[in-house]
Amino acid sequence: MDWGAHLSMLVRTLSDGSEPMEANGRRASSTRRACPSCGALIAADNTDRLCHRCRRNARTELYGPPLLTDEFWDHPVMAAAFAQRDMGALLAAYRHHPQHVSRITQDRMASWLGISQAQLSRYETGENPIDRIDRLRHFARALGVPGDRLWFDRIGIPSQAGPERGAPPDVLGAAWDASSIARSVEETARNDLAISRRAALSGAAAVAMGPALVEPLQRWLHPLQPLSRWSSNAAISEEELAALQHVADGLRGWGGRGGYGLARKAVLGQLEELAERLSRAPAGPTTERAFFIGAELSKVAASMSWDAGMHDAAQRYYVLGVRMAKAGRNDPFAALCLAAMARQMFDLGRPEDGLELVQLGQYGTRRNATPTLQALLLTREAWAYAQLGKVREFHRAVGQAQDCFAQRRSGGEPWWLDSFDEAELEGVIGARMRDLAVHDPAQAPQAEVHIRRALRLRDPARVRNRAFDVISLARTKMVAGQPEEACALIQEVLPTAAGLASGRVVRKLQDFAKEAERHRDLPLVRDTREAIRGMRTA
């Protein structure tokens, strides 16, 4: 076969709408034409609709993705897809990007990625979420996605560019002494205050995973460096400490109200001021207690960032929470931050990383964990087993968590574990049994029992937690093959969810919509999915 002639024929196929030709191959008109792609004037001897450069690009695109500039990835179409942290949305945005010389069909992109057109269609619609790290990496490499744009693996595809201007400090690699911890917190909070949420969502670095995350955090198990020669400035007074605690108590109440706007900025602003004060404070009991207050604020900032969809920022503040708790001589609270980081890994589909973080917290508090902290860490361990489909290990961890919880003594637990009450224990166990039911449907009935018990015990004032319970119950009904009952529950909770302005609640509803897609022929399912889509748009 004459491959040159075959290629020319393919390019001509892309260049439909060319002008009529005379017998000698020249244009019927001598008028210079403009390239419809780039606007440049086309040479008189060019018989194509496109200029030579665009024609060359079109030829390249026939057999593989084209080389793209930063302008392509900076386009609002791509920025919105990156903000969703969804590879399916990214594939769809890439295909429909307005800067392509020629249309990128699903068949064409599927051939680049080594999958079928039907698979690509399911990825783009969200019917099949892409959560395997090897597949995410493969698609990113195939399309040439810049490494600094990836949200799922900081070290998987290194960026060829240097560090971005205004990039956040490396909180994982910083030294583990009190003065370095204070400076790291101050720099991180100041950096995040200087950029808008939109900029953070569109240009943020990916979260760390695997050894890049777990190995640096193992250093929290070692003793902190002595503080005796740290500073000669005045110590933090009891009055100053009381004022700091009063402010922290007020800001902590905002943690469950969504991670947007002034609330998050207020937390970051107070955190920056506290860290600046700690960077000049000498060693002493009040300094250690001030570091613990900083750990509280860091955890609140992490929760708000996670709720707003900024996983990378959430991870930074969880790490800072661990570090500040260590400087504050409060290893149990550091373990609580590790447990929160593990939840984030579960949310990102990384149960192995989450399990390692939980086990790190369990080992670090093996001598001083209270029964409630032990129970909480065991439920996080069970969470990992549920996602991994390990039924026996799951039930072992759940049984141990229930035994530990039963050993609590009144007045023997720290106040920061008050939220992990019986309702929370039942809700977590039920939701995790629902996760396990994906692998073993026989778990669904018992999951419903635990979730309904959580709803009976849950304080009515904890509106967001109750919304999570109802969504978990609906997803359990969906796993059990009861789509209409599931949708009825979602319809009941939608008005409450709309008033919460919580990103995490919206994402849980989106998960339900994806799981309900296979029943889309049912009118109630269609209406419910449309209502969820409308709330997301609003």
Side-chain angles (χ1 to χ4, degrees):
M1 175 183 289
D2 184 349
W3 287 105
H6 180 62
L7 181 59
S8 297
M9 180 184 69
L10 288 172
V11 174
R12 284 196 298 272
T13 301
L14 289 175
S15 307
D16 56 337
S18 57
E19 296 180 5
M21 304 292 295
E22 295 181 350
N24 60 8
R26 295 184 178 178
R27 293 285 178 188
S29 170
S30 60
T31 304
R32 294 289 296 277
R33 297 168 294 115
C35 175
S37 176
C38 68
L41 290 178
I42 298 177
D45 60 347
N46 183 357
T47 62
D48 202 288
R49 183 173 66 96
L50 306 176
C51 67
H52 287 301
R53 186 186 66 174
C54 293
R55 182 181 183 184
R56 183 171 62 251
N57 290 342
R59 182 183 296 114
T60 303
E61 291 181 20
L62 290 174
Y63 298 110
L67 294 176
L68 301 167
T69 64
D70 289 342
E71 182 184 0
F72 179 94
W73 303 107
D74 290 336
H75 195 281
V77 169
M78 301 305 299
F82 285 123
Q84 293 182 45
R85 308 297 205 261
D86 184 335
M87 181 59 78
L90 183 63
L91 297 178
Y94 183 104
R95 281 203 315 107
H96 295 98
H97 200 294
Q99 291 183 9
H100 286 305
V101 172
S102 57
R103 180 168 171 259
I104 309 295
T105 64
Q106 285 189 335
D107 282 328
R108 195 167 165 197
M109 177 178 276
S111 68
W112 298 346
L113 302 177
I115 59 177
S116 69
Q117 179 272 329
Q119 281 179 297
L120 177 58
S121 178
R122 287 193 291 270
Y123 288 148
E124 290 188 357
T125 60
E127 180 180 350
N128 285 359
I130 309 172
D131 50 17
R132 283 175 44 192
I133 196 69
D134 57 339
R135 178 139 293 194
L136 289 166
R137 289 178 182 173
H138 167 65
F139 290 168
R141 287 193 184 98
L143 297 179
V145 182
D148 56 2
R149 311 282 179 137
L150 302 179
W151 64 92
F152 51 82
D153 188 357
R154 175 183 287 176
I155 60 174
I157 307 175
S159 172
Q160 299 302 312
E164 290 186 11
R165 263 183 89 183
D170 180 10
V171 298
L172 285 165
W176 283 75
D177 62 89
S179 57
S180 296
I181 291 170
R183 286 196 301 271
S184 181
V185 173
E186 183 182 2
E187 292 169 3
T188 302
R190 182 181 300 124
N191 177 277
D192 285 351
L193 282 167
I195 61 175
S196 67
R197 178 175 176 268
R198 181 182 296 275
L201 282 170
S202 60
V207 297
M209 295 181 178
L213 171 64
V214 178
E215 290 178 4
L217 284 170
Q218 291 173 350
R219 296 168 62 189
W220 89 285
L221 297 173
H222 302 290
L224 211 64
Q225 295 181 15
L227 307 179
S228 57
R229 299 183 181 274
W230 177 14
S231 174
S232 59
N233 286 328
I236 296 175
S237 67
E238 288 288 346
E239 292 76 12
E240 190 177 3
L241 188 69
L244 286 169
Q245 186 66 67
H246 179 73
V247 172
D249 290 344
L251 293 175
R252 192 187 315 115
W254 291 2
R257 302 180 189 177
Y260 309 107
L262 293 177
R264 182 172 179 272
K265 287 187 176 181
V267 174
L268 295 183
Q270 183 61 37
L271 188 58
E272 181 194 7
E273 287 190 20
L274 174 58
E276 193 272 336
R277 179 69 178 88
L278 285 170
S279 67
R280 297 179 286 106
T286 54
T287 297
E288 291 180 0
R289 286 156 61 192
F291 264 110
F292 173 65
I293 294 173
E296 294 179 59
L297 291 173
S298 295
K299 188 172 181 294
V300 172
S303 178
M304 287 180 162
S305 301
W306 183 6
D307 194 81
M310 296 183 284
H311 274 290
D312 57 305
Q315 186 179 76
R316 286 199 299 276
Y317 288 106
Y318 281 135
V319 171
L320 292 174
V322 174
R323 291 163 63 84
M324 294 199 87
K326 184 69 178 179
R329 311 294 182 186
N330 195 322
D331 285 354
F333 192 84
L336 182 69
C337 293
L338 287 168
M341 292 180 69
R343 286 184 62 180
Q344 184 187 25
M345 289 295 103
F346 301 145
D347 193 50
L348 293 172
R350 298 282 298 188
E352 297 90 349
D353 289 347
L355 181 58
E356 287 198 62
L357 290 170
V358 171
Q359 291 171 339
L360 188 59
Q362 289 172 321
Y363 184 78
T365 57
R366 62 195 183 280
R367 295 188 181 92
N368 58 0
T370 64
T372 300
L373 180 59
Q374 290 176 338
L376 184 148
L377 291 171
L378 283 163
T379 61
R380 302 306 183 255
E381 183 182 344
W383 202 321
Y385 295 140
Q387 287 197 347
L388 293 169
K390 296 185 176 182
V391 178
R392 181 184 303 175
E393 291 87 344
F394 172 85
H395 285 287
R396 173 188 57 76
V398 165
Q400 291 176 344
Q402 291 171 322
D403 291 342
C404 288
F405 192 82
Q407 296 171 20
R408 306 186 300 163
R409 298 189 311 276
S410 177
E413 299 289 339
W415 62 263
W416 41 264
L417 282 173
D418 287 348
S419 62
F420 193 78
D421 54 13
E422 187 178 0
E424 184 66 13
L425 176 69
E426 292 293 332
V428 172
I429 292 175
R432 304 298 61 88
M433 279 189 171
R434 192 244 332 139
D435 291 344
L436 192 63
V438 174
H439 305 277
D440 178 12
Q443 306 293 323
Q446 193 60 28
E448 181 174 347
V449 170
H450 283 283
I451 297 171
R452 289 194 179 279
R453 188 179 300 155
L455 279 167
R456 288 195 300 271
L457 295 169
R458 188 79 73 183
D459 183 348
R462 303 186 68 177
V463 179
R464 191 171 71 159
N465 294 83
R466 291 183 65 85
F468 282 134
D469 290 337
V470 174
I471 296 170
S472 291
L473 183 58
R475 295 176 71 186
T476 302
K477 291 282 190 183
M478 191 63 69
V479 172
Q482 300 170 349
E484 292 184 322
E485 291 88 338
C487 288
L489 288 166
I490 294 297
Q491 293 280 5
E492 290 179 12
V493 83
L494 278 177
T496 300
L500 285 171
S502 169
R504 287 175 59 197
V505 170
V506 172
R507 289 192 289 276
K508 293 298 182 185
L509 289 170
Q510 291 170 3
D511 290 340
F512 174 86
K514 291 177 182 179
E515 293 162 5
E517 202 274 339
R518 66 181 184 274
H519 300 291
R520 60 185 179 274
D521 293 337
L522 296 174
L524 184 56
V525 172
R526 280 200 308 272
D527 293 344
T528 304
R529 296 180 76 226
E530 189 62 34
I532 293 172
R533 190 177 301 112
M535 190 178 74
R536 174 183 176 184
T537 303

